[in-house]
């Protein structure tokens, strides 16, 4: 016969969880802002292409980040 025990976390963890929620929301918001960036979306579309398709466009996979962000960052 098997016995099972259910453990309930102490309430202190509930308070810490409550304190962490604003920081989690802020982090999720920053990620959403970054992913909404058109350069990020362009980079993702290029990364989805095969190496042969990139070669047809005259691009190499290891140069994609530089190609997309070259006018705004020195990479």
């Amino acid at each position: 016969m098997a016995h099972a025990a259910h453990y309930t976390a102490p309430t202190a963890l509930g308070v810490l969880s409550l304190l962490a929620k604003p920081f989690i929301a802020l982090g999720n918001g920053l990620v959403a802002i970054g992913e909404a960036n058109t350069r990020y979306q362009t980079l993702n579309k290029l990364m989805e292409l095969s190496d042969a398709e990139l070669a047809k466009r005259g691009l190499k996979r290891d140069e994609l980040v530089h190609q997309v962000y070259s006018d705004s960052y020195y990479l």
Side-chain angles (χ1 to χ4, degrees):
M1 174 185 242
H3 295 282
H6 180 70
Y7 175 73
T8 305
T11 57
L13 291 179
V15 172
L16 292 177
S17 175
L18 255 161
L19 292 174
K21 285 186 179 187
F23 297 104
I24 292 170
L26 177 65
N28 290 338
L30 291 173
V31 168
I33 289 169
E35 289 177 348
N37 186 333
T38 56
R39 291 177 194 265
Y40 177 81
Q41 293 171 355
T42 301
L43 182 60
N44 273 344
K45 287 179 185 176
L46 290 172
M47 291 297 283
E48 291 173 357
L49 298 176
S50 69
D51 289 336
E53 291 170 324
L54 288 172
K56 286 180 187 176
R57 295 179 180 209
L59 300 170
K60 295 180 183 176
R61 190 166 304 278
D62 61 344
E63 298 173 350
L64 289 179
V65 173
H66 177 72
Q67 186 74 24
V68 172
Y69 289 99
S70 63
D71 63 337
S72 62
Y73 296 108
Y74 178 75
L75 301 173

